[in-house]
Amino acid sequence: LCGDPIDVEWDAEAAVEYAAARNMSVLTLGLRSANEGDKWGWRKYDNTASLPVLTVRYNSPPTRPVGLTFADPRKRCESLLAFPAPLAPRPTLQATLTDPDRYGSLKARFEVYRRSSPNNQHVWTGVPTAVVSPGRPIQITVGVSLSSNVPYLFRVRGEETQADAGYGNEAPDVSPWSAWCEFSVDTQPPPAPRVTSTDYPRSTDDEGTGAEYGGVGRSGLFTY
């Protein structure tokens, strides 16, 4: 005698991924016994308007990060070969992460390279501990001191956090790498300014007892 009907489930992930990867508009699934010649393997299933049901939990990979810039000091990232003003030896990099699903949390992976020929040289990789919602900027300070007046490049990609991707033990989805941002740093401060003036020339001795010039409220021309 048969017992009461029960719900049963099968894993159709491989078939769904195959169809999605090929943009198939129709997916056909079938059931069969492990041994079609075994009468004890016979089963009967409901086939109604509400059953069977295919349930799909999907996740879209993050899209390519945008808005590459420098947060500290605040400088815009121009196009390749268009250097922004010189930066500090350890600038703070910034990018905006996006995701077509518009929910969940994203992590960022920053990479810095020294521009060289024929291949750029990897200098540093940083992954901020913070996570952000899609459409929000994320920052990280370069973890090594960069050399002065050397062309560098940085790029970034977005990565799903494990919790939001829902993959269990599988690796999370990642975005394509962003466009490159080229920059340089300046570790040498400018020299002390040299000031000259014919209206207020430098005193002739260290005590300032030379000839007097100008006066209170009288303007003069100075060259720096």
Side-chain angles (χ1 to χ4, degrees):
L1 296 176
C2 296
D4 293 333
I6 60 173
D7 292 335
V8 291
E9 296 182 355
W10 291 271
D11 185 357
E13 180 181 355
V16 174
E17 288 180 346
Y18 180 92
R22 290 159 179 78
N23 292 321
M24 295 169 57
S25 59
V26 176
L27 171 63
T28 302
L29 301 173
L31 292 175
R32 69 177 181 181
S33 174
N35 184 352
E36 292 290 306
D38 182 3
K39 67 178 181 179
W40 302 111
W42 182 89
R43 298 289 187 275
K44 182 177 182 180
Y45 299 97
D46 281 338
N47 187 15
T48 64
S50 58
L51 294 172
V53 174
L54 174 65
T55 301
V56 178
R57 180 178 179 178
Y58 72 94
N59 180 73
S60 302
T63 48
R64 195 181 197 194
V66 295
L68 274 66
T69 187
F70 303 92
D72 184 22
R74 188 169 295 279
K75 304 286 183 184
R76 248 179 66 187
C77 179
E78 306 291 349
S79 59
L80 198 63
L81 299 179
F83 280 37
L87 301 162
R90 295 190 180 189
T92 298
L93 314 179
Q94 178 175 301
T96 299
L97 306 183
T98 59
D99 189 297
D101 297 332
R102 299 182 181 180
Y103 65 84
S105 301
L106 298 173
K107 300 184 74 173
R109 182 176 298 273
F110 289 80
E111 289 189 344
V112 175
Y113 288 78
R114 180 170 177 165
R115 185 174 178 85
S116 59
S117 180
N119 298 312
N120 297 324
Q121 299 175 0
H122 178 263
V123 174
W124 176 80
T125 295
V127 179
T129 56
V131 296
V132 294
S133 301
R136 300 292 299 274
I138 190 168
Q139 301 177 358
I140 191 171
T141 299
V142 176
V144 296
S145 293
L146 304 178
S147 300
S148 184
N149 300 318
V150 170
Y152 288 99
L153 303 158
F154 90 85
R155 64 179 182 174
V156 61
R157 78 179 184 187
E159 301 179 353
E160 297 275 8
T161 62
Q162 284 282 5
D164 292 313
Y167 285 121
N169 294 326
E170 294 183 26
D173 284 334
V174 299
S175 75
W177 285 103
S178 69
W180 289 105
C181 174
E182 185 164 359
F183 66 99
S184 66
V185 302
D186 186 359
T187 62
Q188 301 298 323
R194 180 174 178 269
V195 183
T196 59
S197 174
T198 56
D199 297 322
Y200 290 88
R202 184 172 180 172
S203 177
T204 56
D205 57 49
D206 293 338
E207 301 298 327
T209 57
E212 295 181 356
Y213 296 87
V216 176
R218 295 182 60 181
S219 62
L221 293 178
F222 294 85
T223 300
Y224 293 84

